[in-house]
Amino acid sequence: MTALERLKAKIDEWKTNYEIIAKENKELKEQLNSKMNSNSVQNTIQLEEEIKRLNAEITKLKQEIEEKDIEIESILENIEELLE
């Protein structure tokens, strides 16, 4: 086998290896995109659930504040009556 033939064989081998790697790369990119889309949907669902939970907590805290305001108003009225 001459040097030229060995060089041609090596180039063919590299070309084949390149095609295999290019195909694997394409498949991995597709898997990554699929995974990212899946994660995006999952993250959106998790964020929506967290938002609902936080909104419920905010509503609860607002109710507690209203109750405390009523109690404070009552205490203030009692103090005013005592001062009269």
Side-chain angles (χ1 to χ4, degrees):
M1 186 179 258
T2 67
L4 187 57
E5 290 172 336
R6 287 194 314 256
L7 183 58
K8 184 178 181 323
K10 197 57 143 172
I11 290 172
D12 288 341
E13 179 184 339
W14 288 343
K15 182 179 176 185
T16 301
N17 289 342
Y18 171 80
E19 290 170 352
I20 291 169
I21 291 171
K23 181 181 176 185
E24 289 175 355
N25 188 37
K26 181 181 176 187
E27 290 171 357
L28 288 172
K29 283 182 180 179
E30 289 171 356
Q31 290 174 5
L32 179 61
N33 285 336
S34 174
K35 183 76 169 171
M36 287 176 63
N37 289 339
S38 174
N39 284 343
S40 177
V41 170
Q42 183 65 25
N43 288 342
T44 300
I45 291 169
Q46 289 174 343
L47 288 174
E48 288 174 350
E49 290 172 358
E50 182 69 7
I51 289 169
K52 287 178 185 177
R53 186 188 68 76
L54 291 172
N55 281 334
E57 189 172 332
I58 289 170
T59 301
K60 178 184 171 193
L61 290 172
K62 283 181 179 179
Q63 290 172 344
E64 288 179 12
I65 289 172
E66 289 175 10
E67 291 171 4
K68 295 299 178 189
D69 281 347
I70 292 169
E71 287 179 27
I72 291 171
E73 288 294 324
S74 175
I75 292 170
L76 288 174
E77 287 175 6
N78 288 340
I79 291 173
E80 286 176 357
E81 286 177 11
L82 289 173
L83 292 175
E84 290 178 353

Coordinates of all heavy atoms in Angstrom, one line a residue:
M1 N 0.9 -1.2 0.0 CA 0.0 0.0 0.0 C 0.9 1.2 0.0 O 1.8 1.4 0.8 CB -0.9 0.0 1.2 CG -1.9 1.1 1.3 SD -3.0 1.0 2.7 CE -4.4 0.3 2.1
T2 N 0.7 2.1 -0.9 CA 1.5 3.3 -1.1 C 1.0 4.3 0.0 O 0.0 4.2 0.6 CB 1.3 3.9 -2.5 OG1 0.0 4.4 -2.6 CG2 1.7 2.9 -3.6
A3 N 1.8 5.3 0.1 CA 1.5 6.4 1.1 C 0.2 7.1 0.7 O -0.6 7.5 1.5 CB 2.7 7.4 1.2
L4 N 0.0 7.3 -0.6 CA -1.2 8.0 -1.1 C -2.4 7.1 -0.8 O -3.4 7.7 -0.3 CB -1.0 8.2 -2.6 CG -2.2 9.0 -3.2 CD1 -2.3 10.4 -2.6 CD2 -1.9 9.2 -4.7
E5 N -2.3 5.8 -0.9 CA -3.4 4.9 -0.6 C -3.7 4.9 0.9 O -4.9 4.9 1.3 CB -3.1 3.5 -1.1 CG -3.1 3.4 -2.6 CD -2.7 2.0 -3.0 OE1 -1.9 1.3 -2.3 OE2 -3.0 1.6 -4.2
R6 N -2.7 4.9 1.7 CA -2.9 5.0 3.2 C -3.5 6.3 3.6 O -4.4 6.3 4.4 CB -1.5 4.8 3.9 CG -1.0 3.4 3.8 CD 0.1 3.1 4.8 NE 1.1 4.1 4.8 CZ 2.3 4.0 4.3 NH1 2.7 2.9 3.7 NH2 3.2 5.0 4.4
L7 N -3.0 7.4 2.9 CA -3.6 8.7 3.2 C -5.1 8.7 2.8 O -5.9 9.2 3.6 CB -2.8 9.8 2.5 CG -3.3 11.2 2.7 CD1 -3.2 11.6 4.2 CD2 -2.4 12.2 1.9
K8 N -5.4 8.2 1.7 CA -6.8 8.1 1.2 C -7.6 7.3 2.2 O -8.8 7.7 2.5 CB -6.9 7.6 -0.2 CG -8.3 7.6 -0.7 CD -8.4 7.1 -2.2 CE -9.7 7.1 -2.8 NZ -10.9 6.8 -2.0
A9 N -7.1 6.1 2.6 CA -7.8 5.3 3.6 C -8.1 6.0 4.9 O -9.2 5.9 5.5 CB -7.1 4.0 3.8
K10 N -7.1 6.8 5.3 CA -7.2 7.5 6.6 C -8.2 8.6 6.4 O -9.1 8.8 7.3 CB -5.8 8.1 7.0 CG -5.7 8.5 8.4 CD -6.0 7.4 9.3 CE -5.2 7.4 10.5 NZ -5.7 6.4 11.5
I11 N -8.2 9.3 5.3 CA -9.2 10.3 5.0 C -10.6 9.7 5.0 O -11.6 10.3 5.6 CB -8.9 11.1 3.7 CG1 -7.7 11.9 3.9 CG2 -10.1 12.0 3.3 CD1 -7.1 12.6 2.7
D12 N -10.8 8.6 4.4 CA -12.1 7.9 4.3 C -12.5 7.5 5.7 O -13.7 7.7 6.1 CB -12.0 6.7 3.4 CG -12.0 7.0 2.0 OD1 -12.3 8.2 1.6 OD2 -11.5 6.2 1.2
E13 N -11.6 7.0 6.5 CA -11.9 6.7 7.9 C -12.4 7.9 8.7 O -13.4 7.9 9.4 CB -10.7 6.1 8.6 CG -10.9 5.7 10.0 CD -9.6 5.2 10.7 OE1 -8.7 4.7 10.0 OE2 -9.6 5.2 11.9
W14 N -11.7 9.0 8.5 CA -12.0 10.3 9.2 C -13.4 10.8 8.8 O -14.2 11.2 9.6 CB -11.0 11.3 9.0 CG -9.7 11.1 9.7 CD1 -9.4 10.3 10.8 CD2 -8.4 11.7 9.4 NE1 -8.2 10.3 11.1 CE2 -7.5 11.3 10.3 CE3 -8.0 12.7 8.5 CZ2 -6.2 11.7 10.3 CZ3 -6.7 13.1 8.5 CH2 -5.8 12.6 9.4
K15 N -13.6 10.6 7.5 CA -14.9 11.1 6.9 C -16.1 10.2 7.5 O -17.1 10.8 7.9 CB -14.9 10.9 5.4 CG -16.2 11.4 4.7 CD -16.1 11.2 3.2 CE -17.4 11.6 2.6 NZ -17.5 11.4 1.2
T16 N -15.9 8.9 7.6 CA -16.9 8.1 8.2 C -17.1 8.4 9.7 O -18.2 8.5 10.2 CB -16.4 6.6 8.1 OG1 -16.3 6.3 6.7 CG2 -17.5 5.7 8.7
N17 N -16.0 8.6 10.4 CA -16.1 9.0 11.8 C -16.8 10.3 12.0 O -17.6 10.5 12.9 CB -14.7 9.1 12.5 CG -14.1 7.7 12.7 OD1 -14.8 6.7 12.6 ND2 -12.8 7.6 12.8
Y18 N -16.5 11.3 11.1 CA -17.2 12.6 11.2 C -18.7 12.4 11.0 O -19.5 13.0 11.7 CB -16.6 13.5 10.1 CG -17.4 14.8 10.0 CD1 -17.2 15.8 10.9 CD2 -18.3 14.9 8.9 CE1 -17.9 17.0 10.8 CE2 -19.0 16.1 8.8 CZ -18.9 17.1 9.7 OH -19.6 18.2 9.6
E19 N -19.1 11.6 10.0 CA -20.5 11.4 9.7 C -21.2 10.8 10.9 O -22.3 11.2 11.2 CB -20.7 10.6 8.4 CG -20.3 11.3 7.2 CD -20.2 10.4 5.9 OE1 -20.3 9.2 6.1 OE2 -20.0 11.0 4.8
I20 N -20.5 9.8 11.5 CA -21.1 9.2 12.7 C -21.3 10.2 13.8 O -22.3 10.3 14.5 CB -20.2 8.0 13.2 CG1 -20.3 6.9 12.2 CG2 -20.6 7.5 14.6 CD1 -19.3 5.8 12.4
I21 N -20.2 11.0 14.1 CA -20.3 12.0 15.1 C -21.3 13.1 14.8 O -22.0 13.5 15.7 CB -18.9 12.6 15.3 CG1 -17.9 11.6 15.9 CG2 -18.9 13.9 16.2 CD1 -16.5 12.0 16.0
A22 N -21.4 13.5 13.6 CA -22.4 14.5 13.2 C -23.8 14.0 13.4 O -24.7 14.7 13.9 CB -22.2 14.9 11.7
K23 N -24.0 12.7 13.1 CA -25.4 12.1 13.3 C -25.7 12.0 14.8 O -26.8 12.4 15.3 CB -25.4 10.7 12.7 CG -26.7 10.0 12.9 CD -26.8 8.6 12.3 CE -28.1 7.9 12.6 NZ -28.1 6.5 12.1
E24 N -24.7 11.6 15.6 CA -24.9 11.5 17.1 C -25.1 12.9 17.7 O -26.0 13.1 18.5 CB -23.7 10.9 17.8 CG -23.5 9.4 17.5 CD -22.2 8.8 18.1 OE1 -21.4 9.6 18.6 OE2 -22.1 7.6 18.0
N25 N -24.4 13.9 17.1 CA -24.6 15.3 17.6 C -26.0 15.8 17.3 O -26.6 16.4 18.2 CB -23.5 16.2 16.9 CG -23.5 17.6 17.5 OD1 -23.7 17.8 18.7 ND2 -23.3 18.6 16.6
K26 N -26.5 15.5 16.1 CA -27.8 15.9 15.7 C -28.9 15.2 16.7 O -29.8 15.9 17.2 CB -28.1 15.5 14.3 CG -29.5 15.9 13.8 CD -29.8 15.5 12.4 CE -31.2 15.8 12.0 NZ -31.5 15.3 10.7
E27 N -28.7 14.0 16.9 CA -29.6 13.2 17.8 C -29.6 13.8 19.2 O -30.6 14.0 19.9 CB -29.3 11.7 17.9 CG -29.6 11.0 16.6 CD -29.1 9.6 16.5 OE1 -28.4 9.2 17.5 OE2 -29.3 8.9 15.5
L28 N -28.4 14.1 19.7 CA -28.2 14.7 21.1 C -28.9 16.1 21.2 O -29.5 16.4 22.1 CB -26.7 14.8 21.5 CG -26.1 13.4 21.8 CD1 -24.6 13.6 22.0 CD2 -26.7 12.8 23.0
K29 N -28.7 16.9 20.1 CA -29.4 18.2 20.1 C -30.9 18.0 20.1 O -31.6 18.8 20.8 CB -28.9 19.0 18.8 CG -27.6 19.6 18.9 CD -27.2 20.4 17.7 CE -25.8 20.9 17.7 NZ -25.5 21.7 16.5
E30 N -31.4 17.1 19.4 CA -32.8 16.9 19.4 C -33.3 16.4 20.7 O -34.4 16.9 21.2 CB -33.2 15.8 18.3 CG -33.1 16.3 16.9 CD -33.2 15.2 15.8 OE1 -33.4 14.0 16.2 OE2 -33.2 15.5 14.6
Q31 N -32.5 15.5 21.4 CA -32.9 15.1 22.7 C -32.9 16.3 23.7 O -33.7 16.4 24.6 CB -32.0 14.0 23.2 CG -32.1 12.7 22.5 CD -31.1 11.7 22.9 OE1 -30.3 11.9 23.8 NE2 -31.1 10.5 22.3
L32 N -31.8 17.1 23.6 CA -31.7 18.3 24.5 C -32.9 19.2 24.3 O -33.5 19.7 25.2 CB -30.4 19.0 24.2 CG -30.1 20.2 25.0 CD1 -30.1 19.9 26.5 CD2 -28.8 20.9 24.6
N33 N -33.2 19.5 23.0 CA -34.4 20.4 22.8 C -35.7 19.8 23.3 O -36.5 20.5 23.9 CB -34.5 20.6 21.2 CG -33.5 21.6 20.7 OD1 -32.9 22.4 21.4 ND2 -33.2 21.5 19.4
S34 N -35.8 18.5 23.1 CA -37.0 17.9 23.7 C -37.1 18.0 25.2 O -38.1 18.3 25.8 CB -37.0 16.4 23.3 OG -38.1 15.7 23.9
K35 N -35.9 17.7 25.8 CA -35.8 17.8 27.3 C -36.0 19.2 27.8 O -36.7 19.5 28.8 CB -34.4 17.3 27.7 CG -34.2 17.3 29.2 CD -34.9 16.1 29.8 CE -34.4 16.0 31.2 NZ -35.2 15.0 32.0
M36 N -35.5 20.2 27.1 CA -35.7 21.6 27.4 C -37.1 22.0 27.3 O -37.7 22.7 28.2 CB -34.8 22.5 26.6 CG -33.3 22.4 26.9 SD -32.3 23.4 25.9 CE -32.9 25.1 26.2
N37 N -37.8 21.6 26.3 CA -39.2 21.9 26.1 C -40.0 21.2 27.3 O -40.9 21.8 27.8 CB -39.8 21.4 24.8 CG -39.2 22.3 23.6 OD1 -38.8 23.4 23.8 ND2 -39.2 21.7 22.4
S38 N -39.7 20.0 27.6 CA -40.4 19.3 28.7 C -40.1 20.0 30.0 O -41.0 20.2 30.8 CB -39.9 17.9 28.7 OG -40.4 17.2 29.9
N39 N -38.9 20.4 30.2 CA -38.6 21.1 31.5 C -39.3 22.5 31.5 O -39.7 22.9 32.6 CB -37.0 21.3 31.6 CG -36.3 20.0 32.0 OD1 -36.9 19.1 32.5 ND2 -35.0 20.0 31.8
S40 N -39.4 23.1 30.4 CA -40.0 24.4 30.3 C -41.5 24.3 30.8 O -42.0 25.1 31.6 CB -40.0 25.0 28.9 OG -40.6 26.2 28.9
V41 N -42.2 23.2 30.3 CA -43.6 23.0 30.6 C -43.6 22.7 32.1 O -44.5 23.2 32.8 CB -44.2 21.8 29.8 CG1 -45.5 21.4 30.3 CG2 -44.3 22.3 28.3
Q42 N -42.8 21.8 32.6 CA -42.7 21.4 34.0 C -42.5 22.7 34.9 O -43.2 22.8 35.9 CB -41.7 20.4 34.3 CG -41.7 19.9 35.7 CD -42.9 19.1 36.1 OE1 -43.6 18.6 35.3 NE2 -43.2 19.1 37.4
N43 N -41.5 23.5 34.5 CA -41.2 24.7 35.3 C -42.4 25.6 35.3 O -42.7 26.2 36.3 CB -40.0 25.4 34.7 CG -38.7 24.7 35.0 OD1 -38.7 23.8 35.9 ND2 -37.7 25.0 34.2
T44 N -43.1 25.8 34.2 CA -44.3 26.6 34.1 C -45.4 26.1 35.1 O -46.0 26.9 35.8 CB -44.8 26.7 32.7 OG1 -43.8 27.2 31.8 CG2 -46.1 27.5 32.6
I45 N -45.6 24.8 35.1 CA -46.6 24.2 36.0 C -46.2 24.5 37.4 O -47.0 24.8 38.2 CB -46.7 22.7 35.7 CG1 -47.4 22.5 34.3 CG2 -47.5 22.0 36.8 CD1 -47.4 21.1 33.8
Q46 N -44.9 24.3 37.7 CA -44.5 24.5 39.1 C -44.6 25.9 39.5 O -45.0 26.2 40.6 CB -43.0 24.0 39.3 CG -42.8 22.5 39.2 CD -41.4 22.1 39.2 OE1 -40.5 22.9 38.9 NE2 -41.1 20.9 39.5
L47 N -44.3 26.8 38.6 CA -44.4 28.3 38.9 C -45.9 28.6 39.1 O -46.2 29.4 40.0 CB -43.8 29.1 37.8 CG -42.3 29.1 37.7 CD1 -41.9 29.9 36.5 CD2 -41.7 29.8 39.0
E48 N -46.8 28.1 38.3 CA -48.2 28.4 38.5 C -48.7 27.9 39.8 O -49.5 28.5 40.5 CB -49.0 27.7 37.3 CG -48.8 28.5 36.0 CD -49.5 27.7 34.8 OE1 -50.0 26.6 35.0 OE2 -49.6 28.3 33.8
E49 N -48.3 26.7 40.2 CA -48.7 26.1 41.5 C -48.1 27.0 42.6 O -48.8 27.3 43.6 CB -48.2 24.7 41.7 CG -48.9 23.7 40.8 CD -48.3 22.3 40.8 OE1 -47.3 22.1 41.4 OE2 -48.8 21.5 40.1
E50 N -46.9 27.5 42.5 CA -46.3 28.3 43.5 C -47.1 29.7 43.6 O -47.3 30.2 44.7 CB -44.8 28.6 43.2 CG -44.1 29.4 44.2 CD -43.9 28.8 45.6 OE1 -44.2 27.6 45.7 OE2 -43.4 29.4 46.5
I51 N -47.5 30.2 42.5 CA -48.2 31.4 42.4 C -49.6 31.3 43.1 O -50.0 32.1 43.9 CB -48.4 31.9 41.0 CG1 -47.1 32.5 40.5 CG2 -49.5 33.0 40.9 CD1 -47.1 32.8 39.0
K52 N -50.2 30.2 42.9 CA -51.5 29.9 43.5 C -51.3 29.8 45.0 O -52.1 30.3 45.8 CB -52.1 28.6 43.0 CG -52.7 28.7 41.6 CD -53.2 27.3 41.1 CE -53.7 27.4 39.7 NZ -54.2 26.1 39.2
R53 N -50.3 29.1 45.5 CA -50.0 28.9 46.9 C -49.7 30.3 47.5 O -50.3 30.6 48.6 CB -48.8 28.0 47.1 CG -48.6 27.7 48.6 CD -47.3 26.9 48.8 NE -46.1 27.7 48.5 CZ -45.6 28.6 49.3 NH1 -46.2 28.9 50.4 NH2 -44.5 29.3 49.0
L54 N -48.9 31.1 46.9 CA -48.6 32.4 47.4 C -49.8 33.3 47.5 O -50.0 34.1 48.4 CB -47.5 33.0 46.7 CG -46.1 32.4 46.8 CD1 -45.1 33.0 45.9 CD2 -45.6 32.5 48.3
N55 N -50.7 33.2 46.4 CA -51.9 34.1 46.4 C -52.8 33.7 47.6 O -53.4 34.5 48.2 CB -52.6 33.9 45.1 CG -52.0 34.8 44.0 OD1 -51.3 35.8 44.3 ND2 -52.2 34.4 42.8
A56 N -52.9 32.4 47.8 CA -53.7 31.9 49.0 C -53.2 32.4 50.3 O -53.9 32.8 51.2 CB -53.8 30.4 48.9
E57 N -51.8 32.4 50.4 CA -51.2 32.9 51.6 C -51.4 34.4 51.8 O -51.7 34.8 52.9 CB -49.7 32.6 51.6 CG -49.0 32.8 52.9 CD -47.6 32.3 52.9 OE1 -47.2 31.4 52.2 OE2 -46.8 32.9 53.7
I58 N -51.3 35.1 50.7 CA -51.6 36.6 50.7 C -53.0 36.8 51.2 O -53.3 37.7 52.0 CB -51.3 37.2 49.4 CG1 -49.8 37.2 49.1 CG2 -51.9 38.6 49.3 CD1 -49.4 37.6 47.7
T59 N -54.0 36.1 50.6 CA -55.4 36.3 51.0 C -55.6 36.0 52.5 O -56.2 36.8 53.2 CB -56.3 35.3 50.2 OG1 -56.1 35.6 48.8 CG2 -57.7 35.5 50.5
K60 N -54.9 34.9 53.0 CA -55.0 34.6 54.4 C -54.4 35.7 55.3 O -55.0 36.1 56.3 CB -54.3 33.3 54.7 CG -54.3 32.8 56.1 CD -53.5 31.6 56.3 CE -53.3 31.3 57.8 NZ -52.3 30.3 58.0
L61 N -53.3 36.2 54.9 CA -52.7 37.3 55.6 C -53.5 38.6 55.6 O -53.6 39.3 56.6 CB -51.2 37.6 55.1 CG -50.2 36.4 55.4 CD1 -48.9 36.7 54.6 CD2 -50.0 36.3 56.8
K62 N -54.1 38.9 54.5 CA -55.0 40.0 54.4 C -56.2 39.9 55.4 O -56.5 40.9 56.0 CB -55.5 40.2 53.0 CG -54.5 40.8 52.0 CD -55.1 41.0 50.6 CE -54.1 41.7 49.7 NZ -54.6 41.9 48.3
Q63 N -56.7 38.7 55.4 CA -57.8 38.5 56.4 C -57.4 38.6 57.8 O -58.1 39.2 58.6 CB -58.4 37.0 56.2 CG -59.2 36.9 54.9 CD -59.6 35.4 54.6 OE1 -59.0 34.5 55.2 NE2 -60.5 35.2 53.7
E64 N -56.2 38.1 58.1 CA -55.7 38.3 59.5 C -55.4 39.8 59.8 O -55.7 40.2 60.9 CB -54.3 37.5 59.6 CG -54.5 36.0 59.6 CD -53.2 35.3 59.8 OE1 -52.2 35.9 60.1 OE2 -53.2 34.0 59.6
I65 N -54.9 40.5 58.8 CA -54.7 42.0 59.0 C -56.1 42.7 59.3 O -56.2 43.5 60.2 CB -54.0 42.6 57.8 CG1 -52.6 42.2 57.8 CG2 -54.1 44.1 57.9 CD1 -51.8 42.6 56.6
E66 N -57.1 42.3 58.5 CA -58.4 42.9 58.7 C -58.9 42.6 60.1 O -59.5 43.4 60.8 CB -59.4 42.4 57.7 CG -59.1 43.0 56.3 CD -60.0 42.4 55.2 OE1 -61.0 41.7 55.5 OE2 -59.8 42.6 54.0
E67 N -58.8 41.3 60.6 CA -59.2 40.9 61.9 C -58.4 41.7 63.0 O -59.0 42.2 63.9 CB -59.0 39.4 62.1 CG -59.9 38.5 61.3 CD -59.5 37.1 61.3 OE1 -58.6 36.7 62.1 OE2 -60.2 36.3 60.6
K68 N -57.1 41.9 62.8 CA -56.3 42.6 63.7 C -56.7 44.1 63.7 O -56.8 44.7 64.8 CB -54.8 42.5 63.4 CG -54.3 41.1 63.6 CD -54.4 40.6 65.0 CE -53.9 39.1 65.1 NZ -54.3 38.5 66.4
D69 N -57.1 44.6 62.6 CA -57.5 46.0 62.5 C -58.8 46.2 63.3 O -59.0 47.2 64.1 CB -57.8 46.5 61.1 CG -56.5 46.8 60.3 OD1 -55.5 47.0 61.0 OD2 -56.6 46.9 59.1
I70 N -59.7 45.2 63.2 CA -61.0 45.3 64.0 C -60.7 45.2 65.5 O -61.2 46.0 66.3 CB -61.9 44.2 63.5 CG1 -62.4 44.4 62.1 CG2 -63.1 44.1 64.5 CD1 -63.1 43.3 61.4
E71 N -59.8 44.4 65.8 CA -59.4 44.2 67.3 C -58.8 45.5 67.8 O -59.1 46.0 68.9 CB -58.4 43.1 67.5 CG -59.0 41.7 67.3 CD -58.0 40.6 67.5 OE1 -56.9 40.8 68.2 OE2 -58.2 39.5 67.0
I72 N -57.9 46.1 67.0 CA -57.2 47.4 67.4 C -58.3 48.5 67.5 O -58.2 49.3 68.5 CB -56.1 47.8 66.4 CG1 -55.0 46.8 66.5 CG2 -55.6 49.2 66.6 CD1 -53.9 46.9 65.4
E73 N -59.2 48.6 66.5 CA -60.3 49.6 66.6 C -61.1 49.4 67.9 O -61.4 50.4 68.6 CB -61.2 49.5 65.4 CG -60.6 50.0 64.1 CD -60.3 51.5 64.1 OE1 -61.0 52.3 64.7 OE2 -59.2 51.9 63.6
S74 N -61.4 48.2 68.2 CA -62.1 47.9 69.5 C -61.3 48.3 70.7 O -61.9 49.0 71.6 CB -62.5 46.4 69.5 OG -63.1 46.1 70.7
I75 N -60.1 48.0 70.7 CA -59.2 48.4 71.8 C -59.1 49.9 72.0 O -59.2 50.5 73.1 CB -57.8 47.8 71.7 CG1 -57.9 46.3 71.9 CG2 -56.8 48.4 72.7 CD1 -56.6 45.6 71.5
L76 N -59.0 50.6 70.8 CA -58.9 52.1 70.8 C -60.2 52.7 71.3 O -60.2 53.7 72.1 CB -58.6 52.6 69.4 CG -57.2 52.4 68.9 CD1 -57.1 52.9 67.5 CD2 -56.2 53.1 69.8
E77 N -61.4 52.1 70.9 CA -62.7 52.6 71.4 C -62.8 52.4 72.9 O -63.2 53.3 73.7 CB -63.8 51.8 70.7 CG -64.0 52.3 69.3 CD -65.1 51.4 68.6 OE1 -65.7 50.6 69.3 OE2 -65.2 51.6 67.4
N78 N -62.3 51.3 73.4 CA -62.3 51.0 74.9 C -61.4 52.0 75.6 O -61.8 52.5 76.7 CB -61.8 49.6 75.2 CG -62.9 48.5 74.8 OD1 -64.1 48.9 74.6 ND2 -62.4 47.3 74.6
I79 N -60.2 52.3 75.0 CA -59.4 53.3 75.7 C -60.0 54.7 75.7 O -59.9 55.4 76.7 CB -58.0 53.3 74.9 CG1 -57.3 52.0 75.2 CG2 -57.1 54.5 75.4 CD1 -56.0 51.9 74.4
E80 N -60.6 55.1 74.6 CA -61.3 56.4 74.5 C -62.4 56.4 75.6 O -62.6 57.5 76.2 CB -61.9 56.6 73.1 CG -60.8 56.9 72.1 CD -61.4 57.1 70.7 OE1 -62.6 56.9 70.5 OE2 -60.6 57.4 69.8
E81 N -63.2 55.4 75.7 CA -64.2 55.3 76.7 C -63.6 55.5 78.1 O -64.2 56.2 79.0 CB -65.0 54.0 76.6 CG -66.0 54.0 75.4 CD -66.7 52.6 75.3 OE1 -66.6 51.8 76.3 OE2 -67.3 52.4 74.3
L82 N -62.5 54.8 78.4 CA -61.9 54.9 79.7 C -61.3 56.3 80.0 O -61.3 56.8 81.1 CB -60.8 53.9 79.8 CG -61.2 52.4 79.9 CD1 -60.0 51.5 79.9 CD2 -62.0 52.2 81.2
L83 N -60.9 57.0 79.0 CA -60.3 58.3 79.1 C -61.4 59.4 79.3 O -61.1 60.5 79.8 CB -59.4 58.7 77.9 CG -58.1 57.9 77.8 CD1 -57.4 58.2 76.6 CD2 -57.2 58.1 79.0
E84 N -62.6 59.1 79.0 CA -63.7 60.1 79.1 C -64.2 60.2 80.5 O -64.1 59.7 81.4 CB -64.9 59.7 78.2 CG -64.6 59.8 76.7 CD -65.8 59.4 75.9 OE1 -66.8 58.9 76.4 OE2 -65.7 59.6 74.7

